[in-house]
Amino acid sequence: MKVLYFGTYNPDYARNAVIRKGLERNGVVVEQCYQKPGGFRAWWRLYRSYRQRSHDFDAMIVGFPGHEIMFLARVLTRKPIIFDAFTSHYGGYIQDRKKYSETSLM
């Protein structure tokens, strides 16, 4: 099996590294397609990087954090997508940090 680890994640972040290493130790070939976060430019670079590589993979994993990248992932492929949500934006931004009201559009 071959997976594409995709997104604007930090490949050295423990959660992403552990998942990748665990997959590799169990015989899964893991190819990375990532960019550092940086708004629209990062999305554009990620899109170009994806288009330049082989699409010979069985599933795409959107690394943490990847909430904003899920839309791009779905547009790029119809293969199965595994989303490592880990935490929700609602819990982080609204419940914990109180950045927005619970009734806001956000």
Side-chain angles (χ1 to χ4, degrees):
M1 175 175 226
K2 184 175 182 180
V3 298
L4 181 67
Y5 212 91
F6 180 83
T8 55
Y9 59 91
N10 177 351
D12 298 324
Y13 180 64
R15 183 170 184 83
N16 293 315
V18 166
I19 291 171
R20 284 191 338 270
K21 287 177 186 174
L23 289 168
E24 290 168 349
R25 287 183 183 166
N26 285 283
V28 176
V29 176
V30 179
E31 183 179 342
Q32 293 189 76
C33 180
Y34 73 94
Q35 293 293 322
K36 292 180 181 179
F40 182 75
R41 286 185 179 161
W43 283 46
W44 179 249
R45 289 190 306 266
L46 187 61
Y47 168 79
R48 285 188 9 210
S49 177
Y50 175 83
R51 300 300 293 173
Q52 293 172 353
R53 64 183 63 242
S54 167
H55 298 159
D56 180 31
F57 59 89
D58 300 301
M60 178 185 282
I61 298 176
V62 176
F64 178 79
H67 297 79
E68 290 83 10
I69 296 298
M70 279 300 295
F71 177 77
L72 179 60
R74 177 46 57 200
V75 168
L76 293 177
T77 187
R78 292 293 172 215
K79 294 182 181 185
I81 298 174
I82 301 162
F83 174 41
D84 180 12
F86 188 49
T87 61
S88 74
H89 274 354
Y90 181 82
Y93 289 116
I94 295 176
Q95 293 178 324
D96 294 341
R97 295 183 190 110
K98 308 276 187 225
K99 190 171 181 177
Y100 305 103
S101 160
E102 288 188 17
T103 59
S104 74
L105 181 59
M106 297 305 286

